[in-house]
Amino acid sequence: MEKIFIIQLITSFFAGGLLIGLQTIVGEKVPMRWRKIVLTVPTTLAMGLLFLGIAKTPEDAAQAAAFVPAPITITYIFAVIFAYISQKKSLLTSLSISTAAWFVLAYIIFLIPRLNFFQAVAFYFIPVFLILYLLIRRLPYVQHIASIPLTAGQTIGRCIFAGVVIVLTVFLGKTVGNEFGGLFSSYPAAFTTMFVIYSHLYGNAY
């Protein structure tokens, strides 16, 4: 492995982790109704593609980005599966099943003929998000909940996990192919860390 590539991986880990840390701090400062939105913004996706472009070329990052709509769709499927299962099962069980579903769907995506960006949006986003919207409306909703600040350990843990995802995005994109980088950049790191932290703080009902 080239020395410059190792430096790029290390840089992507720390830069990505720092940005996730800042995102987490901002999420703690905004009103409660906006917190989930801020904390689940796919920052790891943007950082992964950015550093993939640095490690390879902007054209490679663009090719990886063109593959993103399908993985983003299954990321939201991951979130809905977790939300339903967590109503009756433990955090570990819910995360295990939803993560397994994400990888199975990711594998299926690789079997489907490639679409361009706009075709992928029409094929994946529109019908799937309509279905997800209808499913989400059936979930119980907690309207009033006390704000509990995150600990330093929880914030650091979130930064480390996101940094690892960004590093894997760059590594896979560089060594295996742009599509693998685009796929893993959409791994639900933000959702996973938020589910773990807030399940411990508030319980699965949150």
Side-chain angles (χ1 to χ4, degrees), residues 16-165:
L18 177 61
L19 183 60
I20 297 300
L22 293 174
Q23 178 189 15
T24 304
I25 293 172
V26 171
E28 286 289 288
K29 302 298 182 182
V30 300
M32 197 67 180
R33 64 179 179 274
W34 292 103
R35 184 173 298 181
K36 295 179 188 178
I37 297 175
V38 173
L39 291 177
T40 55
V41 171
T43 311
T44 52
L45 187 157
M47 293 297 291
L49 294 177
L50 171 64
F51 280 99
L52 178 59
I54 294 173
K56 298 184 76 175
T57 67
E59 289 74 18
D60 287 298
Q63 184 179 352
F67 188 66
V68 162
I72 285 185
T73 301
I74 64 174
T75 292
Y76 283 93
I77 294 175
F78 161 93
V80 172
I81 291 174
F82 175 88
Y84 270 95
I85 296 176
S86 64
Q87 301 301 310
K88 297 181 179 180
K89 300 295 183 179
S90 67
L91 172 64
L92 179 60
T93 301
S94 303
L95 274 180
S96 298
I97 294 175
S98 53
T99 301
W102 188 89
F103 278 103
V104 169
L105 291 172
Y107 174 74
I108 292 174
I109 284 175
F110 273 100
L111 301 180
I112 297 176
R114 298 294 175 261
L115 305 174
N116 64 40
F117 182 83
F118 296 104
Q119 290 173 333
V121 169
F123 183 78
Y124 294 109
F125 269 24
I126 297 176
V128 173
F129 272 87
L130 283 175
I131 295 172
L132 293 179
Y133 172 74
L134 295 175
L135 290 174
I136 290 171
R137 292 185 62 182
R138 298 172 60 89
L139 289 170
Y141 178 70
V142 180
Q143 294 185 343
H144 302 287
I145 191 168
S147 176
I148 302 176
L150 300 184
T151 66
Q154 290 168 337
T155 301
I156 292 173
R158 193 169 194 263
C159 295
I160 292 174
F161 187 78
V164 169
V165 172

